């Protein structure tokens, strides 16, 4: 690997994790972000599950696109094929989490199966193809996007845990203050735009 390629991978990593954060910049994956970010423990578990799923989905979808869909000129089927790959992958993750950590499985509840329909997973796979990333670039983009998701959800969980002990006006309690917090986080992450 030459230096330019490694620099390009570093740019993809920083850009996907911070500048083009899937939650706070592209607004993908909002459902689990708002739903599971009540407690840090649940947010960490969801973050690790999303890291595994998005990274693995990026690998599988990239291989399927490069070696099956593109050579056979079936690119128009990419969305359907990617959804099938992601659904199978999430079922596998769900079985593993249920076996390894039943308490985490219970804490994640309905949000673990919702990773199947999490638009962040499909969005990253489609962006890999749209940007013309090769396999390594797809892996880096998938991992960095999932890392950005995890950072965002853990930060939100930490803030929400602290807000439980604050005196918040009645009209802002619950979901409204969560949306205000998410807005402020998105504005803060916008400050990373000048990095690359």
């Amino acid at each position: 690997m030459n230096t330019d390629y490694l620099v390009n991978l570093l740019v993809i990593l920083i850009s996907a994790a911070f500048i083009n954060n899937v939650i706070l910049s592209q607004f993908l994956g909002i459902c689990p972000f708002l739903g599971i970010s009540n407690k840090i423990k649940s947010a960490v578990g969801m973050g690790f599950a999303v890291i595994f799923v998005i990274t693995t989905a990026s690998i599988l979808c990239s291989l399927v696109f490069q070696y099956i869909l593109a050579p056979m000129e079936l690119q128009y089927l990419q969305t359907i094929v990617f959804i099938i790959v992601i659904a199978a992958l999430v079922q596998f993750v769900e079985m593993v989490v249920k076996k390894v950590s039943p308490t985490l499985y219970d804490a994640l509840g309905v949000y673990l199966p919702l990773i199947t329909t999490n638009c962040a997973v499909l969005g990253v796979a489609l962006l890999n193809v749209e940007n013309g990333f090769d396999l390594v670039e797809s892996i880096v983009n998938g991992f960095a996007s999932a890392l950005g998701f995890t950072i965002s959800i853990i930060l939100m969980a930490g803030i929400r845990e602290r807000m439980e002990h604050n005196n918040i006006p009645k009209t802002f309690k619950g979901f409204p203050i969560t949306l205000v917090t998410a807005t402020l986080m998105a504005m803060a992450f916008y400050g990373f735009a000048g990095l690359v």
Side-chain angles (χ1 to χ4, degrees), residues 21 60 79 95 98 115 146 160 174:
N21 186 286
L60 295 175
T79 303
M95 289 186 304
K98 188 175 185 179
I115 295 176
R160 286 179 76 177

Side-chain angles (χ1 to χ4, degrees), residues 104-187:
L104 178 60
Y105 180 80
D106 292 337
L108 294 175
V110 71
Y111 293 100
L112 188 57
L114 281 178
I115 295 176
T116 305
T117 58
N118 186 344
C119 55
V121 181
L122 180 61
V124 170
L126 292 173
L127 284 172
N128 288 340
V129 170
E130 184 180 306
N131 291 328
F133 290 158
D134 63 17
L135 180 61
V136 175
E137 291 170 331
S138 294
I139 294 168
V140 169
N141 187 54
F143 174 76
S145 296
L147 182 64
F149 179 97
T150 303
I151 291 168
S152 301
I153 198 168
I154 291 172
L155 284 173
M156 176 60 94
I159 293 169
R160 286 179 76 177
E161 280 188 2
R162 292 192 60 130
M163 282 191 306
E164 287 178 6
H165 307 293
N166 293 343
N167 188 13
I168 298 170
K170 186 177 180 181
T171 55
F172 279 102
K173 284 192 185 242
F175 198 64
I177 195 68
T178 302
L179 290 178
V180 170
T181 304
T183 302
L184 293 172
M185 285 178 63
M187 290 170 58

Side-chain angles (χ1 to χ4, degrees), residues 76-126:
Y76 60 91
L77 293 175
Q78 71 186 12
T79 303
I80 296 167
V81 171
F82 290 178
I83 289 171
I84 292 168
V85 169
I86 292 166
L89 185 61
V90 171
Q91 290 302 312
F92 172 73
V93 170
E94 187 176 358
M95 289 186 304
V96 169
V97 169
K98 188 175 185 179
K99 184 95 171 161
V100 172
S101 179
T103 55
L104 178 60
Y105 180 80
D106 292 337
L108 294 175
V110 71
Y111 293 100
L112 188 57
L114 281 178
I115 295 176
T116 305
T117 58
N118 186 344
C119 55
V121 181
L122 180 61
V124 170
L126 292 173

